[in-house]
Amino acid sequence: MLTGERVRLRALEPADSEAMWRWYHDPEVGRWMGGDPPISLAQNIEKGQNRPRNTFEQMLLGIETLDSRKLIGYVALGDTDFVHGEATLQSVAIGERDHWNGGHGSDAVRVICRYAFEEMGLHRVMLWVVAENTGAVQAYKKVGFVEEGRRREAFRTAGKRYDYLMMGLLDTELR
């Protein structure tokens, strides 16, 4: 397990599928996610039972609080390129609303980036985030990410288009 100041990152268990299904179906949690078509709880449980093993190239980890060990979200790191020393932070979500704005997301990002730099030997982590998702943008900046580019009107939700920001973090910039 990977531990920060507020959270611990751990491999997801099949038993986590119900909480994740609930988060996927919460419109506020999923507002800035790409959004797959809805699936049933039974389908999500089956998906959780057949989840691929985490590798350095692709990992999905649960975020749990240090104090209660309650699963509150997840983080995904993938598309790892060891030749160039880079990976993509593909997803970060705090699904439990009572843990929003408490620093859990930025702590989880810090922990996974520290792991990428110190344990995996990477030099850079990048990500794409919807520009209007100000909470996420601030959390990434708090960890040290900087804006490196923009894809105009590349994300669509609820009939509206939004810009994506590309952000990057070098191993020397982690806060």
Side-chain angles (χ1 to χ4, degrees), residues 142-154:
K142 184 176 173 183
V143 175
F145 279 86
V146 297
E147 185 177 335
E148 296 181 342
R150 181 178 292 259
R151 285 174 50 203
R152 298 177 303 141
E153 298 184 7

Side-chain angles (χ1 to χ4, degrees), residues 16-99:
D16 298 326
S17 296
E18 190 169 335
M20 293 182 75
W21 179 83
R22 188 171 31 84
W23 301 335
Y24 294 149
H25 290 83
D26 181 327
E28 283 301 306
V29 174
R31 181 175 182 199
W32 301 117
M33 294 180 187
D36 291 327
I39 62 173
S40 70
L41 176 57
Q43 289 169 322
N44 202 60
I45 289 171
E46 181 180 341
K47 185 177 168 183
Q49 290 170 339
N50 298 315
R51 185 172 287 115
R53 181 176 165 232
N54 283 329
T55 66
F56 287 126
E57 289 77 18
Q58 196 72 39
M59 65 182 76
L60 175 63
L61 302 171
I63 302 170
E64 64 181 23
T65 61
L66 283 180
D67 54 355
S68 69
R69 298 192 74 155
K70 176 183 178 182
L71 183 73
I72 61 167
Y74 60 88
V75 59
L77 183 74
D79 297 333
T80 305
D81 178 348
F82 285 102
V83 172
H84 299 289
E86 177 175 276
T88 301
L89 186 61
Q90 298 170 321
S91 184
V92 179
I94 301 298
E96 297 297 334
R97 290 188 192 199
D98 59 339
H99 287 82

